[in-house]
Amino acid sequence: LLRQKPAGRRRVTSCDCAEESLFELAELGKAEGLSSGSPEEGWRLPFDSLKKLLEMIVEDGNAALATDMFRVLDGGSRSQFPFTWTFDASEARPFLIVCLIRSLYADAALTFLENSCKMSLPGRGRDDDQASFGTVVSCPYCANPALSVVKPYQGSETMVCSSCRYEFDLFSGTVLKTESEAPETYGLVMEDLLKVRFFGGRRGYTHTFTIESPTEGISQVYKCGTEGAEVPAKVGDRVTMISASASKSRNIKAIPPGWKSGEPKALYNHRLGRATELFLAAKADSGISLQWLVLGAALFAGGDASTGLINPDFPALIVAGGGGPGAV
């Protein structure tokens, strides 16, 4: 009926919520003179018709209505609608996900998949009563939005990103202990300048997390850095640490270039529902101090001025000797 009536199809598929859409469908059926059957049963909607309805809604560009329609058809109150229907959620769920992805609604498909991994307590339907049975996390290297579906009690696993093909180690558990360290500051500008170091790695706030897996009975210690002062997780939080793979396999190139084996790259906090970018924090004494760079520059400049009077070749020899093998 809807495929033959474009105007009626737009009325049904352009609604803001599933309840309004179903009532529009009922009004359309009355206008066409369709028999509603017995007053107790109303119109009967076969499961195939419901799948076609979901498909048409997605095709018409209303992904939000399609996911809301699934919610009503799966668990809504049927007494308020002039329809009776049979609905198989285990078959309709992957069907709707395929329809969304095929129409390039990848974000809506991932959100629907994540919400489908939650289950409410019996007799309740509020969001704050839901217990999460999995969360979709993204790849820390290529930002692929679907690296894995992680559970806060899952323990350790190794996943391969479907986009960049690199391996990542995921460890889920409860935070037992945290330690944080701020970058050193001395207040005076000249003292801060003298403490600046180059070529020693990325610097920031350093955090150490001890995470225990409740299913495997093991714990892991991770040391990482963040740009901001906010601690990504506190004691008692359930988290998932995403690290560069520590695999020794030679069959594939396990980690991205420039990364270190086992290096923490992201932490997902299941309580906060967000991920924090991590990096390998540089040591306080790593790199080259600014004062040594200034001293070296003064040496080269003085060498140019003084030794050039004796032999014009001396400045070049000093530079070559100070640069070492890298200057050759």
Side-chain angles (χ1 to χ4, degrees), residues 41-84:
E41 294 185 354
W43 279 285
R44 295 189 61 84
L45 294 178
F47 181 58
D48 290 340
S49 298
L50 296 178
K51 291 171 63 178
K52 292 178 181 178
L53 176 61
L54 291 173
E55 185 177 16
M56 283 189 290
I57 293 174
V58 175
E59 289 176 351
D60 290 355
N62 200 341
L65 176 61
T67 56
D68 191 52
M69 183 68 71
F70 180 93
R71 174 189 62 83
V72 171
L73 294 177
D74 184 30
S77 175
R78 305 189 180 195
S79 60
Q80 59 178 327
F81 302 110
F83 302 105
T84 58

Side-chain angles (χ1 to χ4, degrees), residues 183-227:
E184 293 185 0
T185 57
Y186 296 88
L188 297 178
V189 176
M190 289 303 299
E191 291 185 1
D192 286 342
L193 287 176
L194 293 177
K195 294 298 181 180
V196 173
R197 308 183 76 87
F198 297 88
F199 314 111
R202 194 173 175 183
R203 301 181 185 278
Y205 291 83
T206 305
H207 309 282
T208 302
F209 298 98
T210 302
I211 305 173
E212 181 184 42
S213 169
T215 56
E216 299 177 352
I218 61 176
S219 61
Q220 298 278 3
V221 179
Y222 298 91
K223 188 174 184 179
C224 53
T226 59
E227 292 287 355

Side-chain angles (χ1 to χ4, degrees), residues 91-113:
E91 181 179 346
R93 183 177 291 107
F95 175 80
L96 178 55
I97 293 175
V98 170
C99 289
L100 291 171
I101 295 177
R102 187 171 56 197
S103 298
L104 303 182
Y105 293 109
D107 290 341
L110 290 173
T111 302
F112 174 71
L113 175 61

Side-chain angles (χ1 to χ4, degrees), residues 14 56 63 75 86 96 99 123 129 139 147 159 169 215 228 233 268 275 311 323:
S14 62
M56 283 189 290
T86 55
L96 178 55
C99 289
D129 290 326
C139 173
L147 173 64
M159 300 297 299
D169 291 338
T215 56
Y268 183 84
N311 190 331

Side-chain angles (χ1 to χ4, degrees), residues 124-320:
R124 303 179 183 180
R126 301 190 304 272
D127 290 340
D128 56 356
D129 290 326
Q130 291 182 333
S132 176
F133 284 84
T135 302
V136 180
V137 295
S138 59
C139 173
Y141 179 72
C142 67
N144 175 18
L147 173 64
S148 177
V149 178
V150 297
K151 306 173 182 63
Y153 49 83
Q154 187 165 345
S156 60
E157 63 173 338
T158 299
M159 300 297 299
V160 178
C161 177
S162 61
S163 179
C164 64
R165 300 297 181 183
Y166 290 119
E167 278 189 356
F168 298 92
D169 291 338
L170 284 70
F171 189 81
S172 301
T174 305
V175 178
L176 296 181
K177 182 181 179 182
T178 63
E179 295 180 358
S180 299
E181 181 181 348
E184 293 185 0
T185 57
Y186 296 88
L188 297 178
V189 176
M190 289 303 299
E191 291 185 1
D192 286 342
L193 287 176
L194 293 177
K195 294 298 181 180
V196 173
R197 308 183 76 87
F198 297 88
F199 314 111
R202 194 173 175 183
R203 301 181 185 278
Y205 291 83
T206 305
H207 309 282
T208 302
F209 298 98
T210 302
I211 305 173
E212 181 184 42
S213 169
T215 56
E216 299 177 352
I218 61 176
S219 61
Q220 298 278 3
V221 179
Y222 298 91
K223 188 174 184 179
C224 53
T226 59
E227 292 287 355
E230 183 180 3
V231 181
K234 64 180 183 179
V235 175
D237 284 350
R238 292 184 175 181
V239 299
T240 295
M241 183 69 73
I242 306 174
S243 309
S245 175
S247 173
K248 303 297 183 181
S249 173
R250 297 183 179 180
N251 297 328
I252 61 174
K253 192 175 182 180
I255 62 176
W259 289 22
K260 295 184 178 180
S261 178
E263 176 183 354
K265 301 304 295 185
L267 184 142
Y268 183 84
N269 191 317
H270 292 268
R271 178 181 63 86
L272 300 177
R274 70 186 183 196
T276 302
E277 179 187 358
L278 306 176
F279 55 86
L280 192 61
K283 297 180 180 179
D285 57 349
S286 62
I288 304 175
S289 175
L290 177 61
Q291 56 186 336
W292 288 110
L293 291 178
V294 173
L295 182 60
L299 174 63
F300 291 147
D304 288 346
S306 60
T307 60
L309 298 176
I310 303 173
N311 190 331
D313 295 333
F314 280 179
L317 294 175
I318 294 177
V319 174

